[in-house]
Amino acid sequence: MVRKLEKRAPLDDFDREALASLSFRRKIYEPSSYLVREGTLAEEITLILEGLVYRQKLTQEGSRQIVSVHMPGDFVDLENSLLRVADHNVQALTRCEVAAIPVREIIALIDTHPRVGRALWVDTLIDASIYREWIMNVGRRPAKQRLAHLLCEFAARLRVAGLTREDGYRLPMTQEQLGDATGLTSVHVNRSLKALEADNLIVRRRQFVSIPDWERLRQASGFSGLYLHLDQEA
Amino acid sequence: MVRKLEKRAPLDDFDREALASLSFRRKIYEPSSYLVREGTLAEEITLILEGLVYRQKLTQEGSRQIVSVHMPGDFVDLENSLLRVADHNVQALTRCEVAAIPVREIIALIDTHPRVGRALWVDTLIDASIYREWIMNVGRRPAKQRLAHLLCEFAARLRVAGLTREDGYRLPMTQEQLGDATGLTSVHVNRSLKALEADNLIVRRRQFVSIPDWERLRQASGFSGLYLHLDQEA
DNA sequence: CGGTACGTTGAGATCGGTCAAAGGTTGTGG
DNA sequence: CCACAACCTTTGACCGATCTCAACGTACCG
């Protein structure tokens, strides 16, 4: 975690020490259990150690929209700790392990260690950048491309987390969840994935996605990793 | 500006003084001119004093998606100053006046005045919350509701900026721009707006939108102001 | 007064949604 | 080890919201 934050902003020993001395509780969440519920106050910040997690909102009518997916190394609750009441839900996608840090401690930390605060801030700015790309994905791309783009983004981010293999990666999402993330129906996700497969852009086996030719998929989806700010150095 | 920031986090005289002593240049942008271009480095942070501004991205194929609209009192460049290279474009919607503050000064400020940094951070977190709502709007609501929701959001935010009247507000966006913001075509925006008008939910006259019954429009669009975090007090 | 940008309208096409049923997979208990 | 349930994927037929293309109308501006 400290290693990741250092990529966001320069830290000194004083900062690192403060980070290391944060108290935290290890917690396990089962698939589809809630880490945060809309309308509640957050008292802990959680850092994902293992597993995947997603943010989700519901319309009045009850349709679900997944607005982001998070991976090991991501913080999922910086927003809720500073904004008090949560405006969305966070659920476990897979079984996952997290570190829960009391909000008070984080707030105290950022007030006394500005550089740590800045590193965390940068983290939320990258999340925001990903939101912007998702708006475009859902608003302006046709179904096939939308899914291909999502697969590219996951590939890039999972690679950073060390969760990809040379030929592809494990994607533990149902087609219904993919639909909720892309603004499509599960039926149409199914057909679109088959179409991608027919184009030889992806190969699916169980929950594993193989990508025979990264460059071709990238090109087909219009993906450009710029918005992930993976280069983010001090 | 200071007044607004104080709503985000508690500041003391020391903080206020530092804010007041920031140097800045006043600038004017003509409609549709660029404040930020994708791929460039930002050297100034801009605070909107007057006028409207929008963020925009283009797909490979050239369709435009507006990902946010900003109003007087909003910062439009915090992201770019901390993330170095801009991942999207920012354009003036109307003629507007801004204050441009050198990035170096802001960075120095947040390193020495953590509470100011926190206030600015909260500001970007609210932007992120709005992005999430937009993802849902574009992903899961039918056209009429999508537009109605956008109109509700603008109403709520313009009210804060003191830019509404009792019966409605001035909305200087073309139907094409509304389409770019909602992921629709200008043609369909036209038809949907007419449908809203036929339902007596809105009345349009030039660039002015009247809302005969706020509660009915709110209900019809599924709008809830929670995500705007307007309550955000220290 | 003419040009330009924006709004409006119609006809027809298409992408993606709905509904419904039939396979597959996985896990569980007998 | 089998049977069954629960959940997920796949498929077909049909429908409808939204897009496309193209024309026409309207307001503003020099």
Side-chain angles (χ1 to χ4, degrees):
Chain A
M1 156 191 169
V2 174
R3 218 169 313 123
K4 182 179 167 196
L5 281 181
E6 288 199 324
K7 295 187 96 170
R8 310 289 193 224
L11 302 179
D12 60 20
D13 286 341
F14 176 53
D15 295 329
R16 277 183 219 108
E17 201 174 298
L19 277 170
S21 69
L22 284 171
S23 60
F24 64 89
R25 291 186 304 136
R26 221 162 263 251
K27 275 195 192 178
I28 302 288
Y29 287 95
E30 292 303 322
S32 97
S33 62
Y34 283 78
L35 316 219
V36 181
R37 267 180 199 279
E38 190 169 344
T40 62
L41 295 171
E43 280 163 15
E44 290 177 326
I45 286 185
T46 84
L47 169 68
I48 305 178
L49 301 175
E50 202 184 318
L52 299 182
V53 140
Y54 63 93
R55 295 178 200 275
Q56 165 258 100
K57 307 188 78 161
L58 297 172
T59 62
Q60 217 176 19
E61 292 74 22
S63 31
R64 186 194 337 275
Q65 175 71 45
I66 292 179
V67 298
S68 68
V69 173
H70 293 281
M71 311 181 171
D74 292 350
F75 286 94
V76 289
D77 242 352
L78 289 175
E79 32 272 282
N80 297 324
S81 65
L82 292 179
L83 292 177
R84 15 263 295 113
V85 32
D87 53 63
H88 62 279
N89 304 294
V90 181
Q91 272 181 290
L93 183 54
T94 62
R95 183 164 205 277
C96 51
E97 188 185 349
V98 307
I101 306 164
V103 166
R104 328 185 57 84
E105 288 197 30
I106 290 278
I107 300 226
L109 179 69
I110 62 185
D111 278 353
T112 53
H113 298 69
R115 279 183 302 271
V116 176
R118 206 164 106 208
L120 293 170
W121 184 3
V122 168
D123 213 70
T124 62
L125 287 177
I126 293 176
D127 283 352
S129 173
I130 297 176
Y131 290 140
R132 285 192 289 269
E133 187 68 30
W134 279 44
I135 293 174
M136 186 159 93
N137 203 33
V138 166
R140 286 298 185 206
R141 278 195 264 257
K144 256 169 76 176
Q145 220 180 332
R146 230 183 265 189
L147 282 161
H149 192 277
L150 192 72
L151 293 177
C152 282
E153 179 183 312
F154 284 163
R157 293 173 57 197
L158 287 168
R159 183 154 38 225
V160 174
L163 295 174
T164 49
R165 296 202 328 222
E166 189 51 43
D167 53 335
Y169 57 91
R170 202 177 91 86
L171 178 67
M173 287 178 79
T174 65
Q175 295 183 357
E176 180 153 10
Q177 287 165 336
L178 288 172
D180 288 341
T182 48
L184 301 168
T185 3
S186 62
V187 172
H188 203 61
V189 167
N190 184 281
R191 297 198 230 264
S192 305
L193 287 178
K194 296 209 98 190
L196 287 174
E197 201 158 20
D199 294 347
N200 248 309
L201 288 168
I202 63 170
V203 181
R204 296 171 298 151
R205 227 185 49 249
R206 299 289 158 79
Q207 297 201 314
F208 196 88
V209 194
S210 307
I211 286 124
D213 184 343
W214 290 97
E215 178 51 24
R216 238 166 45 84
L217 183 64
R218 200 194 61 70
Q219 184 60 32
S221 67
F223 178 82
S224 149
L226 222 176
Y227 72 96
L228 293 173
H229 297 278
L230 297 176
D231 58 323
Q232 202 56 34
E233 292 294 338
Chain B
M1 158 190 168
V2 175
R3 220 170 311 122
K4 183 179 168 198
L5 281 181
E6 289 200 321
K7 296 186 97 172
R8 309 289 192 224
L11 303 179
D12 60 20
D13 286 341
F14 176 52
D15 296 329
R16 274 183 222 110
E17 203 174 298
L19 277 171
S21 69
L22 284 171
S23 60
F24 63 90
R25 290 188 303 136
R26 221 163 264 249
K27 277 195 191 176
I28 302 288
Y29 288 95
E30 293 304 321
S32 96
S33 63
Y34 283 78
L35 315 218
V36 181
R37 268 181 199 277
E38 189 169 346
T40 61
L41 295 170
E43 278 162 18
E44 290 177 326
I45 287 186
T46 84
L47 169 67
I48 306 177
L49 300 174
E50 203 183 319
L52 300 181
V53 139
Y54 62 93
R55 294 178 200 275
Q56 167 257 96
K57 307 189 79 161
L58 298 172
T59 62
Q60 216 175 18
E61 290 75 22
S63 31
R64 185 194 337 276
Q65 176 71 44
I66 293 179
V67 298
S68 67
V69 173
H70 294 279
M71 311 180 173
D74 292 349
F75 287 94
V76 289
D77 244 353
L78 289 175
E79 31 272 284
N80 297 325
S81 64
L82 293 179
L83 293 177
R84 15 264 294 110
V85 33
D87 53 62
H88 62 279
N89 304 294
V90 181
Q91 269 180 293
L93 184 54
T94 61
R95 181 163 206 277
C96 51
E97 189 186 347
V98 308
I101 307 164
V103 165
R104 330 184 55 83
E105 287 198 31
I106 290 278
I107 301 228
L109 179 68
I110 61 186
D111 278 353
T112 53
H113 298 69
R115 279 183 304 270
V116 176
R118 206 164 107 208
L120 292 171
W121 184 2
V122 167
D123 214 68
T124 62
L125 287 176
I126 294 176
D127 283 352
S129 173
I130 297 176
Y131 291 140
R132 286 191 288 270
E133 188 69 30
W134 278 44
I135 293 175
M136 186 159 93
N137 203 35
V138 166
R140 287 299 187 205
R141 278 195 265 258
K144 255 170 76 177
Q145 221 181 329
R146 231 183 263 187
L147 283 161
H149 192 277
L150 192 72
L151 294 177
C152 281
E153 180 184 308
F154 284 162
R157 293 173 58 198
L158 287 169
R159 182 154 40 226
V160 173
L163 295 174
T164 50
R165 296 204 327 225
E166 188 52 43
D167 53 336
Y169 57 90
R170 200 176 94 86
L171 178 67
M173 288 177 80
T174 65
Q175 295 183 356
E176 181 153 9
Q177 287 165 336
L178 289 171
D180 288 342
T182 49
L184 301 168
T185 1
S186 62
V187 173
H188 203 60
V189 167
N190 184 282
R191 297 199 231 265
S192 304
L193 287 177
K194 296 209 96 187
L196 287 174
E197 201 159 19
D199 294 348
N200 247 308
L201 288 168
I202 63 172
V203 181
R204 296 171 300 151
R205 227 187 45 253
R206 300 287 159 81
Q207 297 201 317
F208 196 90
V209 193
S210 309
I211 286 126
D213 183 342
W214 290 96
E215 178 52 24
R216 238 166 42 86
L217 184 64
R218 201 194 59 70
Q219 183 62 31
S221 67
F223 177 82
S224 149
L226 222 176
Y227 72 94
L228 294 173
H229 297 278
L230 297 176
D231 57 323
Q232 201 58 31
E233 291 294 337

